Amino acid sequence: MTAEPGTSSSSRQQSTGHGSHDSTDLRRIGIHPDFWYPVALSRNVPRGKAFSAVFAGERIALYRGRSGSVFALEDRCAHRQVPLSMGVVEGDTLRCCYHAWTYRGNGRISQIPYLPKGVERPPRGVRAYPVREAYGLVFVFPGDAEKAAEAEFPNLPGFDSQHKTMTFSRTVRCHYSFMHENLLDMNHQFLHRKILGRIQPKLLGYETGPQFVEARYLFIPEGGKKDRGAGLLSAEGLSGSSSPDAITVRTQYPYQTLQAVPESSGQPAFSLWVAYVPEDAEQRTNHAYGLLTIAKPGIPGVLDIAWPLIRRFTERVFAQDRMAVEAEQRAWDEQGEDRNNEVFPLILDVREVLRTNGVPLTPPSC
């Protein structure tokens, strides 16, 4: 990880201003398709079943064949456009529920049952997407398929036997950029005061580059009632702790990560990896897929007992964040433009990263 040449995190905070950034409305910028995006939980694509997924208005039919492999096809039959996700899985092929046209995992038509002998099948079937399965998620590459092999795949070192993983899958009605801003700007802890108590977030510094922004905070407790699950997540126990936590948040386009290190231990208590996948063509709704990996304590079974409390805590925090970002989206919809008066240099920089790495949204046709 490197900062821009000749630019330290402290100087970035002093020199970055609103006027130095592109004025293009970020909410009209689409996420770039040339990356691996999760579009389903693995458990939602059982063997022999089809599943309807979506990426930025593109409907995708996922199915797991007899071999156990997952395939991803454009969710329409080339014949009458009926969704293939309504079809029947036979071996490693997918048969349309309407006229039984059958497709291989590469999108080619393998059979049209009633086609007379000697009559050629249509030369093209439907689009097939590169697909990979990892971390309990199904990923597709919705962009240029030729770039899929070289594209960096998410690396989650905490997804191992030393950690327990909590998976999140939630639809949020807002542009994906609001999600990046929410997690990266920890100055919103007032929103969580009834869950986390009074927290004073201190920005220690940040670094930025063409595809990333990484911020480091110190969370200083200042009293107030704290959810028991918060202490368990941070390895403080039920009694809690008054010691600060070091929080590192990074937007590495198009993903986002967070890591918490209690000052009392010096070791990471938990890490979060998250992707915000647009659902609709206008990208005003996203699906958040998150993986929270929590370090297992030395006493076996303790984390399992604490799991329901930790889950309850994370859901409460997420619900408050979702309320805020969806309110931001509603304001944008009502005003027809971004009227935010942003003053935090860190957020101005992450907006620039999202803007320059994304692609302009195509206005809907009449």
Side-chain angles (χ1 to χ4, degrees), residues 159-217:
F159 197 87
D160 56 26
S161 60
Q162 303 303 312
H163 296 77
K164 187 175 174 66
T165 301
M166 184 177 293
T167 302
F168 300 92
S169 173
R170 295 287 186 275
T171 295
V172 187
R173 294 179 177 87
C174 74
H175 190 264
Y176 63 90
S177 61
F178 289 116
M179 305 293 285
H180 281 272
E181 294 175 16
N182 170 265
L183 189 60
L184 199 60
D185 187 351
M186 286 294 175
N187 294 307
H188 77 273
Q189 295 311 306
F190 182 76
L191 176 68
H192 304 309
R193 62 194 180 279
K194 294 184 179 180
I195 302 175
L196 288 171
R198 295 190 301 275
I199 296 289
Q200 179 60 48
K202 179 182 179 182
L203 181 64
L204 302 177
Y206 76 95
E207 295 175 309
T208 184
Q211 288 190 307
F212 80 93
V213 175
E214 181 177 276
R216 299 177 300 281
Y217 295 89

Side-chain angles (χ1 to χ4, degrees), residues 54-240:
V54 65
F55 174 85
E58 296 181 21
R59 293 186 295 112
I60 302 171
L62 303 176
Y63 72 96
R64 190 184 301 275
R66 181 186 300 160
S67 65
S69 298
V70 177
F71 303 95
L73 302 179
E74 186 179 2
D75 195 7
R76 65 171 188 88
C77 179
H79 179 213
R80 297 281 186 87
Q81 315 304 305
V82 172
L84 288 176
S85 57
M86 297 168 59
V88 178
V89 178
E90 296 182 353
D92 279 349
T93 65
L94 182 59
R95 188 180 292 274
C96 178
C97 69
Y98 196 11
H99 290 83
W101 286 34
T102 307
Y103 298 84
R104 298 187 181 94
N106 61 6
R108 304 288 291 184
I109 299 169
S110 66
Q111 185 186 31
I112 300 176
Y114 55 86
L115 193 68
K117 289 184 179 181
V119 178
E120 293 185 2
R121 293 193 296 265
R124 293 175 181 160
V126 296
R127 178 184 180 185
Y129 296 84
V131 60
R132 290 181 64 172
E133 197 169 6
Y135 316 123
L137 301 172
V138 177
F139 292 77
V140 300
F141 194 87
D144 183 349
E146 294 184 356
K147 297 180 179 179
E150 301 299 324
E152 186 174 356
F153 193 78
N155 178 30
L156 278 67
F159 197 87
D160 56 26
S161 60
Q162 303 303 312
H163 296 77
K164 187 175 174 66
T165 301
M166 184 177 293
T167 302
F168 300 92
S169 173
R170 295 287 186 275
T171 295
V172 187
R173 294 179 177 87
C174 74
H175 190 264
Y176 63 90
S177 61
F178 289 116
M179 305 293 285
H180 281 272
E181 294 175 16
N182 170 265
L183 189 60
L184 199 60
D185 187 351
M186 286 294 175
N187 294 307
H188 77 273
Q189 295 311 306
F190 182 76
L191 176 68
H192 304 309
R193 62 194 180 279
K194 294 184 179 180
I195 302 175
L196 288 171
R198 295 190 301 275
I199 296 289
Q200 179 60 48
K202 179 182 179 182
L203 181 64
L204 302 177
Y206 76 95
E207 295 175 309
T208 184
Q211 288 190 307
F212 80 93
V213 175
E214 181 177 276
R216 299 177 300 281
Y217 295 89
L218 192 65
F219 267 30
I220 305 171
E222 294 188 343
K225 188 177 180 180
K226 188 175 185 179
D227 188 289
R228 287 190 299 170
L232 294 168
L233 177 60
S234 299
E236 298 172 357
L238 287 172
S239 59

